[in-house]
Amino acid sequence: MLNYKFILNYIKEHFTTFAQNFKIDRMLTVSNLSVQFGKRILFDEVNTIFTQGNCYGIIGANGAGKSTFLKILSGEMEATSGNVSLEKGKRMSVLSQNHFAYDEFTVLDTVLKGNKSLYAIKSEMDKLYEDYNDANADRIGELQAQFEEMNGWNADSDAAALLSNLDIKEDLHYTLMKDLDGKSKVRVLLAQALFGNPDVLIMDEPTNDLDYETITWLENFLANYENTVIVVSHDRHFLDAVCTHISDIDFGKINHYSGNYTFWYESSQLAARQRSQQNKKAEEKKKELEDFIRRFSANVAKSKQATSRKKMIEKLNIEDIKPSSRRYPAIIFEREREAGDQILNVEGLRKTFEDEVLFDDVHINLTKGDKVVVISKNSRAVTAFYEILNDNEKAEAGKFSWGVTTNQAYLPLENADFFKSDLSLVDWLRQYAKTEEEREEVFIRGFLGKMIFSGEEALKKCNVLSGGEKVRCMLSRMMMIRANVLMIDEPTNHLDLESIQAFNNSLKNFKGTVLFSTHDHEFAQTVANRIIELTPKGVIDRYMTFDEYFQDKKIKDLRAKMYA
């Protein structure tokens, strides 16, 4: 008779040796992790590993616990039970969310502090050098040896190179952090996280407040990064460019899926469709899944994260294809009427802010069917442009006129003024109804239901909504207007990936005209057929895709002149 107790004890005692012999690179291990806030269970007995050389994109609905999970991995927050263990001798780096923590340090020192051990050695050496004598000479020698082993003599130049790549000019490297603006601070903190080649890199929304060029640089950096990366991001293009795995938080568990975000999304949608096809034979479903895997694997083999990371994504398996429990809002923009050919004419618009020229000499003629992404190196310029077109601000010079057959719907960057009352969501949306039928509760609840406000949620007070809930309400309002021209300023702010995906699809299918601005690369690339850039010296206006615009050398040269 087998002695099961002996076998179990043997496995426990020898598992570590077994793992080492087979080189299982368990860079970060999560064991029996549970997190509970009051009666709410966020994570329930999570067991997972993050291995060497992979980039994991953490996804999950708003409130699923993505940021909480990163905080627990980094040690910033304690779990209710269970533990997280980093492989012995390895170093973890975390993108700081505290933009004021290093205000009294120079920019260069802030980056160097990303490697705490290196910075501590450097600081001790500097102090000993200030009072050099025979008594501390031996200690200096020890520190120098450690410093050299850590490549410390190149630390300043490595940090400076990182800063330059993130567009922090050399004349700012010895400036105190407190003297930088918010966007520059974000870039310095990103350089701090990347500094010194950490074994595990944890980042929560690293692309926030970065421009397209800097995001592209970061994508390339991480695609070539050979250690472990764990990232939360709402930028689908970024997740596709850097991730080898998607880690889905659902029902209090975390499951890893090979491939990038697009593979996870498309495969989960395919699985959901198949689940609803009751009459389809099992053999047909299997063949459809196999064909999907074959097509996607061919694309993955050519993609950045497969080639630039110098490693192939694990073979994609049919078993990885599972339906998601995610709820996607039904965002459908219908038009009350079709617009004529003339949509918008702008002549010589100029706008300044505190003696800074946001844009000048802007001439635009918008025609039916244009889907325009409006960009500028100064985001304030884009918002001011929209506010002028909606008569909320005045331009210093120039004029504009809308076509007589147009009606517009606007999603502003800031929406707080819309939610100051204590109306229920039903009554809030009723304000924007045009007919008696639209004022009926059944009709309004139908609109709210499309935006995932069902049952009691439709009776919530509008002044207690989260940022994402407010944007979904604003989208409901826009849909009720049934406009033929949509103006949208940063639509993905506060939305989860499911809402972003649904919104993106709705604009691709919309038959009217769209003016929009976004930091979401995928949104811009898949919706826009025209690029308009507002600059202090005029406007750049091209019919082309977003990627073509930023890859065109002539346009790069022109942009440099327009901002000089």
Side-chain angles (χ1 to χ4, degrees), residues 360-502:
D360 193 16
D361 196 29
V362 173
H363 294 265
I364 298 169
N365 186 42
L366 206 62
T367 57
K368 185 169 65 174
D370 285 346
K371 292 185 178 179
V372 182
V373 59
V374 183
I375 63 174
S376 177
K377 287 194 173 183
N378 187 338
S379 59
R380 188 181 284 116
V382 177
T383 296
F385 180 66
Y386 288 128
E387 290 293 298
I388 290 168
L389 295 183
N390 283 274
D391 290 323
N392 297 326
E393 289 187 19
K394 298 295 182 183
E396 278 84 10
K399 61 182 181 178
F400 68 93
S401 59
W402 289 103
V404 294
T405 60
T406 65
N407 63 318
Q408 304 88 36
Y410 177 39
L411 178 65
L413 179 65
E414 300 294 338
N415 56 38
D417 288 343
F418 288 86
F419 298 97
K420 290 183 175 179
S421 70
D422 61 354
L423 292 173
S424 69
L425 297 192
V426 170
D427 290 334
W428 181 87
L429 190 56
R430 186 178 280 124
Q431 300 175 101
Y432 306 105
K434 295 180 179 179
T435 66
E436 285 302 319
E437 180 188 0
E438 291 177 353
R439 293 186 182 92
E440 293 178 4
E441 185 161 336
V442 173
F443 184 91
I444 292 174
R445 278 182 173 270
F447 256 88
L448 291 171
K450 291 177 183 178
M451 301 306 295
I452 323 179
F453 293 110
S454 55
E456 292 298 313
E457 288 182 320
L459 300 177
K460 290 174 70 170
K461 301 295 185 185
C462 69
N463 56 5
V464 298
L465 299 178
S466 68
E469 288 172 329
K470 287 178 180 177
V471 173
R472 283 190 277 130
C473 281
M474 294 295 288
L475 291 176
S476 298
R477 170 182 172 271
M478 289 183 75
M479 287 191 289
M480 284 192 74
I481 294 172
R482 298 200 299 278
N484 50 33
V485 179
L486 305 179
M487 283 176 285
I488 304 165
D489 193 1
E490 292 295 344
T492 61
N493 286 3
H494 306 296
L495 292 179
D496 58 21
L497 279 167
E498 292 71 47
S499 298
I500 292 170
Q501 189 76 54

Side-chain angles (χ1 to χ4, degrees), residues 41-93:
I41 297 174
L42 199 61
F43 296 108
D44 182 25
E45 293 290 318
V46 171
N47 291 279
T48 192
I49 59 172
F50 297 93
T51 56
Q52 168 72 26
N54 288 315
C55 177
Y56 299 85
I58 309 292
I59 65 170
N62 280 351
K66 300 183 292 294
S67 294
T68 299
F69 185 64
L70 293 195
K71 288 177 181 177
I72 290 170
L73 292 183
S74 66
E76 185 180 339
M77 180 185 292
E78 288 190 6
T80 306
S81 61
N83 61 77
V84 175
S85 59
L86 178 65
E87 187 180 332
K88 189 175 180 180
K90 302 300 183 181
R91 184 172 74 86
M92 177 187 290
S93 183

Side-chain angles (χ1 to χ4, degrees), residues 108 112 118 122 147 150-160 195:
L108 194 63
L112 294 175
L118 178 70
K122 181 178 183 296
F147 198 62
M150 298 172 76
N151 197 31
W153 303 116
N154 293 321
D156 281 11
S157 59
D158 289 346
F195 175 69

